[in-house]
């Protein structure tokens, strides 16, 4: 077996084991990472939309985030870090209310036991004021960090009008990548998909292809994103893109209905679309995974509920 990828995603977001990051599977990859390679976990949560109200969509809108925090805290093995990939809060035209929602969101997630909690914005958090309130509460939305042999990059494709990264951020990304060795595993977090998933529903990044072009100069890149409120797996060349489910409501598959709208709550199947899931990516062949390879290895696990 030339490559083994293993990713375990949690429907509340994603529980991703580092051995599933492309280029990080112990052995030779660990040596390339400076001998620091060892399995560890991080948790991705996305689209919490704190402040949303809609009983027909989620009658537990005020309680779902706290349940997710409890679920992460109950993990037998605590993650090295937790990251929220955007739409932390639900949009509002009132700047005071926007800040109030961010303050309450931050208070709830402060109960996470994980050593480190990180954030990036979604359009609900940042598009109306170009990220002004977001920065007050969570700091700069674009940043990079290294952890146990993996280089992590957080991108902001929501603050600028039109949902773009913009020339300045693309230039920053190019410079950041120049400092990374070709064998370094790279993980990218973004809110919107970097590729054009479904432009009519705004499920794209207008200049995302430029970012993908820069990332494609490195052979071991994995992208985690949110925004679409459902799981989705896609390949652009050798880059794997994985979407996390939402914590508040699911959305229909791209283009499956004339209008994008939240799927209604089903009292017979509470939390449907917000369930736990396991995605097992274990290559039995040389070369990169295809989207079909990924989808064949999905296992749905229902969320416990009263």
């Amino acid at each position: 077996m030339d490559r083994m990828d293993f990713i375990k995603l949690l429907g509340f977001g994603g529980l991703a084991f580092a051995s599933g990051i492309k280029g990080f599977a112990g052995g030779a990859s660990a040596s390339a990472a400076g001998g620091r390679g060892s399995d560890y976990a991080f948790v991705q949560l996305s689209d919490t939309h704190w402040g949303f109200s809609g009983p027909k969509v989620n009658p537990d809108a005020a309680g779902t985030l706290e349940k997710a925090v409890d679920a992460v805290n109950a993990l037998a093995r605590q993650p090295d870090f937790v990251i929220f990939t955007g739409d932390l809060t639900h949009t509002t035209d009132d700047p005071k209310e926007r800040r109030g929602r961010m303050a309450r969101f931050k208070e709830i997630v402060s109960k996470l036991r994980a050593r480190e909690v990180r954030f990036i914005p979604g359009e609900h958090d940042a598009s109306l004021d170009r990220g002004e309130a977001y920065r007050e509460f969570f700091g700069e939305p674009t940043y990079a960090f290294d952890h146990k042999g993996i280089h992590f990059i957080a991108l902001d494709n929501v603050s600028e009008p039109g949902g773009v990264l913009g020339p300045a951020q693309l230039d920053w990304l190019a410079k950041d990548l120049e400092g990374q060795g070709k064998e370094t595993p790279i993980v990218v977090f973004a809110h919107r998909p970097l590729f054009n998933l479904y432009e009519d529903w705004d499920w794209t990044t207008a200049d995302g292809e430029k970012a993908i072009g820069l990332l494609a100069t490195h052979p071991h890149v994995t992208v985690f994103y949110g925004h679409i409120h459902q799981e989705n797996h896609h390949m652009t060349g050798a880059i794997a893109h994985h979407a996390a489910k939402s914590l508040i409501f699911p959305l229909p598959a791209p283009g499956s209905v004339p209008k994008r709208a939240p799927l209604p709550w089903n009292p017979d199947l509470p939390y449907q679309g917000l369930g736990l899931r396991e995605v097992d990516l274990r290559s039995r062949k040389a070369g990169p995974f295809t989207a079909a390879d990924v989808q064949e290895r999905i296992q749905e696990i229902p969320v416990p509920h009263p």
Side-chain angles (χ1 to χ4, degrees):
M1 181 162 56
D2 295 319
R3 176 183 297 158
M4 176 181 286
D5 288 345
F6 178 71
I7 297 176
K8 207 173 187 179
L9 297 178
L10 195 67
F12 277 150
L15 178 60
F17 288 90
S19 55
I21 305 307
K22 292 186 63 182
F24 190 94
S29 296
S31 298
R36 297 186 297 275
S38 62
D39 282 357
Y40 67 90
F42 67 84
V43 170
Q44 178 199 8
L45 300 99
S46 199
D47 298 270
T48 54
H49 286 263
W50 178 257
F52 170 83
S53 178
K56 292 183 178 180
V57 173
N58 186 343
D60 188 35
T64 307
L65 178 57
E66 291 180 292
K67 286 182 173 67
V69 169
D70 290 342
V72 175
N73 285 340
L75 291 171
R77 178 187 184 184
Q78 281 298 293
D80 279 32
F81 65 89
V82 173
I83 183 163
F84 288 82
T85 50
D87 282 354
L88 318 177
T89 60
H90 198 62
T91 192
T92 172
D93 293 331
D94 184 342
K96 183 178 179 181
E97 176 65 19
R98 183 179 305 124
R99 287 166 172 79
R101 292 179 182 181
M102 289 185 178
R104 178 57 180 149
F105 168 88
K106 197 169 183 179
E107 180 183 3
I108 293 171
V109 304
S110 70
K111 298 174 184 176
L112 284 162
R113 292 171 52 201
R115 292 189 296 269
E116 191 170 9
V117 182
R118 294 180 176 270
F119 309 91
I120 61 172
E123 76 280 0
H124 281 255
D125 308 304
S127 64
L128 293 182
D129 62 1
R130 296 198 171 193
E132 179 183 339
Y134 174 88
R135 284 178 171 84
E136 291 175 15
F137 285 87
F138 305 104
E140 288 301 314
T142 302
Y143 56 90
F145 63 99
D146 296 293
H147 187 71
K148 296 182 179 177
I150 296 180
H151 186 64
F152 292 89
I153 300 172
L155 296 177
D156 173 14
N157 52 2
V158 297
S159 295
E160 290 296 318
V164 300
L165 292 160
Q169 190 173 188
L170 287 167
D171 183 59
W172 173 89
L173 176 61
K175 288 182 171 64
D176 181 77
L177 290 171
E178 285 175 2
Q180 305 306 314
K182 292 298 182 183
E183 293 306 310
T184 300
I186 294 172
V187 172
V188 178
F189 297 112
H191 181 64
R192 297 171 178 266
L194 293 177
F195 62 95
N196 187 357
L197 175 58
Y198 197 70
E199 189 173 4
D200 288 351
W201 287 1
D202 205 25
W203 288 1
T204 186
T205 301
D207 54 0
E209 287 188 5
K210 294 180 180 178
I212 290 172
L214 293 170
L215 293 166
T217 62
H218 291 256
H220 307 301
V221 179
T222 307
V223 179
F224 293 92
Y225 68 100
H227 190 55
I228 70 170
H229 292 222
Q230 62 197 270
E231 73 176 34
N232 188 277
H233 308 279
H234 183 78
M235 301 294 295
T236 56
I239 300 174
H241 303 254
H242 303 290
K245 293 180 180 179
S246 166
L247 257 180
I248 195 69
F249 53 75
L251 288 169
S256 60
V257 292
K259 183 179 179 181
R260 180 192 62 193
L263 299 177
W265 180 270
N266 184 347
D268 296 326
L269 295 169
Y271 304 102
Q272 186 178 31
L274 304 179
L276 306 183
R277 69 183 180 183
E278 181 177 10
V279 182
D280 187 354
L281 290 76
R282 294 187 178 181
S283 177
R284 292 181 172 84
K285 63 183 181 181
F289 281 112
T290 66
D293 290 330
V294 175
Q295 291 167 355
E296 287 170 1
R297 291 166 174 78
I298 296 169
Q299 235 183 334
E300 291 292 339
I301 306 171
V303 178
H305 59 84

